[in-house]
Amino acid sequence: MNLLALRSHNAALLLDLLRRAGRAGVSRLELAERTGLTPQAVSKITARLREDGLVTEAGRQASTGGKPRTALRLAPEAGHAVGLQLDRDELRAVLVDLTGAVVAERRAALDLGAGAEAVLGAVVSEVRRLTEGLLSAPPPDRGGRDPSPSHSVSPSPSPSTVLGVGVAMPGPLDHTHGVLQRVTGFPEWDGFPLRDALARRLGVPVVLDKDTNAAALGLAVGGEVGAFAYLHLGTGLGAGLVLGGAVHRGTRTGAGEFGHQVIQLDGPPCPCGNRGCVEALCLTAVARGDIDEAARVLGEGAANIVGLLDIDLVLLGGRTVAAEPERFVRGVGAVLDARARREGASSPVPVRIAPGGARAVAEGAAQLLLAPLFGRTHTR
Amino acid sequence: MNLLALRSHNAALLLDLLRRAGRAGVSRLELAERTGLTPQAVSKITARLREDGLVTEAGRQASTGGKPRTALRLAPEAGHAVGLQLDRDELRAVLVDLTGAVVAERRAALDLGAGAEAVLGAVVSEVRRLTEGLLSAPPPDRGGRDPSPSHSVSPSPSPSTVLGVGVAMPGPLDHTHGVLQRVTGFPEWDGFPLRDALARRLGVPVVLDKDTNAAALGLAVGGEVGAFAYLHLGTGLGAGLVLGGAVHRGTRTGAGEFGHQVIQLDGPPCPCGNRGCVEALCLTAVARGDIDEAARVLGEGAANIVGLLDIDLVLLGGRTVAAEPERFVRGVGAVLDARARREGASSPVPVRIAPGGARAVAEGAAQLLLAPLFGRTHTR
DNA sequence: CCACTTAAACAACGCTGTTGCCAAAGTGCA
DNA sequence: TGCACTTTGGCAACAGCGTTGTTTAAGTGG
């Protein structure tokens, strides 16, 4: 690591704290305490960030007997990112600002079977329309006296502050290379380099990830900290894992294959070829209307994850869960509590419905582009 | 991160590469390439490390038409660490040098039920005897011209180069605070602050961890890279997880609770209170002599981990595995291969016997002290 | 023997966060 | 209203990091 890397590392540290502080902002001194940097270092770094337009002063805090602290906060309009959720039959796109707040949204029907050309065309057109407003209406002057073209990030007169597009999709894919793999039911997409194809057409960076990972990333940014598992029960069953504050993807972006965990040896066959998969057991129960049994099965799977990884929180999401949220939370929680009690844990691991609803995946996809700014790039 | 942290970060980066290179050593230029630092930076940093006695020149490499590269390697005798494995009825202690090589070893009977005073006394006495040789025979002069007392690490004339003692134990415990929890069968140890008690008596830093985590750390240092799971099948069944090059312990040091993963819903009861735990199923099969079935059950559990975390390798260890290594490797491998094939993976995840044998845990425990020097402290 | 190549130290430098100092901006008591 | 006190945060000087430019060391090959 060299001095440039150190510089951006510390800047990211501060930006992350500023993001978590929200509109109210944080004082320089609190930033210093929480990062371990000296107040003077924080002053210098935030001065650069203000010159770059990323940070603004946001009023004063109450005095404690001396000069009151000046609150600093992110300048939301200093950067934007597009989050794209591609499903088998639908497309959802959101435009978020630097704080992660949704600025605009679009939805459209999509036919993944229509071929690469048609799909790419539709996607490009939707993204263009979503960002149109930004291109025509430049952001207001932020009061930075010196445009200082020497800095890498110079949002001021730029026609667009869009950092890039994050794409979230189901099915196996390679996050590192941005390539699709064996999209269920659509063999023509196998091996398609979606990231590079989109990046070329749109002229901005593109990042590809699994929908569950995107959702988990969004949740990690939106307040949940530490280590948690996001379990998504919709037409299938998958998981997004956040360990040590970062999304765990594994070497081949395969992590989170929760649905085909075997929890009943030699159980009923699953379309995947295994027997006794959580997904098969859970969805079968849902199909026959036995939500409590589905929740119990899901709970056993969740308890396995909790025990194996010692995580702090389980979040539930997806269409099937959304139909009966309380019963799923109660059923899964009951299994976790029972197991935790047996193992003598002091406090059980909480279970909650993941906030964000149907937009969670698209919002998380946008975070794929914002994350590097805030230094969330530890684990693979 | 400040400049001092940057300095030790880069030093740790180089020390880690030097450790992996072994006796043969690495050239400065190769270190530069692999760290991304400039050759001049590597020269400066290694010069400091040589002054501190941590690094030595180790001959020249073959010339490629110009001045031949000078190989650098770790000075093994510059630092030592004690690794201690405490079992229900036995104690094993090793003394390792900076490269992780075992310098001395002791074994003794131990009765965990004899009370804290007796156990601590026995442990302290064993550690003292193990390190006696170091105290009486100071390491030979390493040729550093300037003792430079300004540096933090100054091994030269110091009576002892022992960095501390790593303690590995089964059962639940708190790595962060060094406290035991509910040691199975020995309620008197519940809540005992073993780390601090030992550190006070020995006068050196002590680190406490689960035996499976220690073994996994040792394996991670000893060559295995990336992400892998170490599955330990002895009197119980546990796992050590290495993700992104670091041991994953979880918030409460509870990660790796592999034995009580439920893989057969409503299966046979386990002493832990659950039904259908891998441990119960596996050990029952072993008890009735059905090793192949035990291996199959273990394999299903292993496949769940591999799928959930997308890891690169499964390592097997423990007394029960050691009795029939080939059959376990074959049986677990068969399940992993079958599942990987169904999911269309390009190459199956390999299964091997963990090297190190009976000493693996103690050696890994010693690495608990060495790890910070080499910068392996990312994940919790 | 000498031109050439490659490695690594030396010297000067830019930039990082740190330290010491001082102006700014409040509170609270007389 | 005035003044002592507290606290924030900028300015200036500085030590130390890795970088760049140059020189010396130590080989190969014709």
Side-chain angles (χ1 to χ4, degrees):
Chain A
M1 176 178 282
N2 58 22
L3 286 172
L4 237 90
L6 175 65
R7 174 180 167 145
S8 64
H9 170 88
N10 283 339
L13 229 55
L14 294 186
L15 287 172
D16 188 44
L17 290 178
L18 286 160
R19 171 169 66 169
R20 292 186 188 286
R23 294 194 69 79
V26 216
S27 68
R28 290 174 178 81
L29 283 169
E30 193 178 337
L31 289 172
E33 279 170 25
R34 297 180 52 175
T35 54
L37 294 169
T38 59
Q40 184 58 25
V42 172
S43 273
K44 278 194 180 178
I45 298 169
T46 54
R48 284 201 300 263
L49 294 175
R50 280 192 299 155
E51 274 192 10
D52 293 345
L54 293 173
V55 168
T56 335
E57 297 199 342
R60 313 219 136 139
Q61 298 180 349
S63 164
T64 62
K67 176 173 174 177
R69 303 181 172 188
T70 318
L72 299 174
R73 64 171 174 80
L74 280 190
E77 70 284 359
H80 295 85
V82 175
L84 205 56
Q85 177 182 17
L86 299 187
D87 246 325
R88 281 159 185 84
D89 54 356
E90 198 196 30
L91 169 160
R92 186 189 287 263
V94 296
L95 179 70
V96 308
D97 64 22
L98 208 56
T99 70
V102 175
V103 174
E105 180 175 13
R106 291 186 67 87
R107 292 178 64 181
L110 187 75
D111 178 14
L112 269 191
E117 202 54 39
V119 170
L120 282 181
V123 165
V124 168
S125 139
E126 290 296 327
V127 171
R128 287 258 163 75
R129 289 199 191 153
L130 193 71
T131 55
E132 245 167 19
L134 282 183
L135 293 166
S136 55
D141 190 345
R142 249 162 263 95
R145 294 162 305 167
D146 182 15
S148 81
S150 67
H151 291 100
S152 53
V153 183
S154 66
S156 332
S158 162
S160 168
T161 59
V162 175
L163 297 165
V165 177
V167 182
M169 290 186 67
L173 53 84
D174 182 338
H175 165 78
T176 313
H177 303 100
V179 173
L180 300 181
Q181 291 161 353
R182 309 185 313 282
V183 184
T184 324
F186 300 95
E188 66 268 32
W189 286 101
D190 194 355
F192 187 81
L194 182 62
R195 184 191 63 188
D196 293 346
L198 262 182
R200 198 166 352 97
R201 296 225 192 181
L202 287 168
V204 292
V206 174
V207 177
L208 178 68
D209 206 348
K210 289 206 295 186
D211 49 5
T212 46
N213 285 346
L217 176 60
L219 293 166
V221 166
E224 312 299 352
V225 282
F228 67 88
Y230 167 72
L231 305 184
H232 185 100
L233 180 59
T235 53
L237 174 58
L241 303 174
V242 171
L243 304 175
V247 176
H248 175 78
R249 297 188 175 89
T251 312
R252 293 157 289 269
T253 328
E257 262 306 330
F258 176 55
H260 299 290
Q261 298 267 299
V262 170
I263 61 165
Q264 184 154 24
L265 276 181
D266 310 317
C270 173
C272 80
N274 298 333
R275 290 172 155 276
C277 294
V278 207
E279 181 177 297
L281 295 171
C282 197
L283 291 178
T284 306
V286 169
R288 63 168 186 267
D290 192 347
I291 300 298
D292 291 334
E293 172 64 6
R296 184 181 79 101
V297 169
L298 188 60
E300 292 288 350
N304 279 355
I305 294 187
V306 169
L308 186 68
L309 299 175
D310 189 15
I311 55 177
D312 305 319
L313 174 69
V314 172
L315 292 171
L316 304 180
R319 260 175 267 183
T320 309
V321 169
E324 288 273 9
E326 288 87 10
R327 281 172 86 180
F328 272 104
V329 167
R330 208 178 326 126
V332 171
V335 178
L336 288 185
D337 289 0
R339 279 227 222 164
R341 233 191 318 278
R342 280 185 211 123
E343 282 156 24
S346 48
S347 61
V349 171
V351 180
R352 292 206 296 267
I353 295 293
R359 266 193 340 204
V361 171
E363 288 188 47
Q367 294 293 343
L368 290 168
L369 269 294
L370 298 180
L373 266 178
F374 301 96
R376 293 279 163 200
T377 40
H378 304 316
T379 324
R380 265 196 290 198
Chain B
M1 178 179 283
N2 57 21
L3 287 171
L4 237 90
L6 175 66
R7 174 180 167 145
S8 65
H9 170 90
N10 283 340
L13 228 56
L14 293 186
L15 285 173
D16 189 45
L17 291 177
L18 284 160
R19 171 168 66 170
R20 292 187 188 284
R23 294 195 67 79
V26 216
S27 68
R28 291 174 178 79
L29 283 168
E30 193 178 337
L31 289 172
E33 278 170 25
R34 297 181 51 176
T35 55
L37 294 168
T38 60
Q40 184 57 25
V42 172
S43 273
K44 280 193 178 179
I45 297 169
T46 54
R48 283 200 300 263
L49 294 175
R50 280 193 298 155
E51 276 192 8
D52 294 346
L54 293 173
V55 168
T56 334
E57 298 201 339
R60 313 222 134 135
Q61 298 180 349
S63 165
T64 60
K67 176 176 175 177
R69 305 181 172 189
T70 317
L72 300 174
R73 64 170 174 81
L74 279 191
E77 70 284 358
H80 295 84
V82 174
L84 203 57
Q85 177 182 18
L86 299 187
D87 246 325
R88 281 158 184 83
D89 55 355
E90 198 196 29
L91 170 161
R92 186 189 287 262
V94 296
L95 179 69
V96 307
D97 64 22
L98 208 57
T99 69
V102 175
V103 174
E105 178 175 12
R106 290 185 68 87
R107 291 178 66 181
L110 188 74
D111 178 12
L112 269 192
E117 202 54 39
V119 169
L120 282 182
V123 166
V124 167
S125 137
E126 289 296 328
V127 171
R128 287 258 164 77
R129 289 199 192 153
L130 193 71
T131 55
E132 246 166 18
L134 281 182
L135 294 166
S136 55
D141 191 343
R142 249 160 264 99
R145 295 162 304 167
D146 182 17
S148 78
S150 67
H151 290 99
S152 56
V153 184
S154 66
S156 331
S158 163
S160 168
T161 57
V162 175
L163 298 165
V165 177
V167 181
M169 290 185 67
L173 53 84
D174 182 338
H175 165 76
T176 313
H177 302 99
V179 173
L180 300 182
Q181 292 160 353
R182 311 186 310 282
V183 183
T184 324
F186 300 95
E188 65 269 31
W189 286 102
D190 193 356
F192 187 81
L194 182 62
R195 183 190 63 188
D196 294 346
L198 263 183
R200 198 164 355 98
R201 297 223 192 182
L202 288 167
V204 293
V206 174
V207 177
L208 178 68
D209 207 348
K210 290 207 293 187
D211 49 4
T212 45
N213 286 345
L217 176 60
L219 293 166
V221 167
E224 313 299 351
V225 282
F228 67 86
Y230 167 71
L231 305 184
H232 184 99
L233 181 59
T235 53
L237 174 57
L241 303 174
V242 171
L243 305 175
V247 175
H248 175 78
R249 297 188 177 88
T251 312
R252 291 157 289 269
T253 328
E257 262 306 329
F258 176 55
H260 299 290
Q261 299 267 300
V262 171
I263 62 165
Q264 184 153 26
L265 276 180
D266 311 317
C270 173
C272 79
N274 298 333
R275 290 172 154 275
C277 295
V278 206
E279 181 176 297
L281 295 172
C282 197
L283 290 178
T284 306
V286 169
R288 66 169 185 265
D290 192 348
I291 300 298
D292 291 334
E293 172 65 5
R296 184 181 78 102
V297 170
L298 188 60
E300 292 287 349
N304 279 354
I305 294 188
V306 168
L308 186 68
L309 299 175
D310 189 17
I311 55 177
D312 305 319
L313 173 68
V314 172
L315 291 171
L316 304 180
R319 260 176 269 183
T320 310
V321 169
E324 288 273 10
E326 289 86 9
R327 279 173 86 180
F328 272 104
V329 167
R330 208 180 325 127
V332 171
V335 178
L336 287 185
D337 288 0
R339 280 227 221 162
R341 230 191 322 276
R342 281 188 211 120
E343 281 156 25
S346 47
S347 63
V349 171
V351 180
R352 293 206 296 268
I353 294 292
R359 267 196 337 207
V361 170
E363 287 190 47
Q367 294 294 342
L368 290 169
L369 268 295
L370 298 181
L373 267 177
F374 301 95
R376 292 278 165 202
T377 43
H378 303 316
T379 325
R380 265 197 288 199

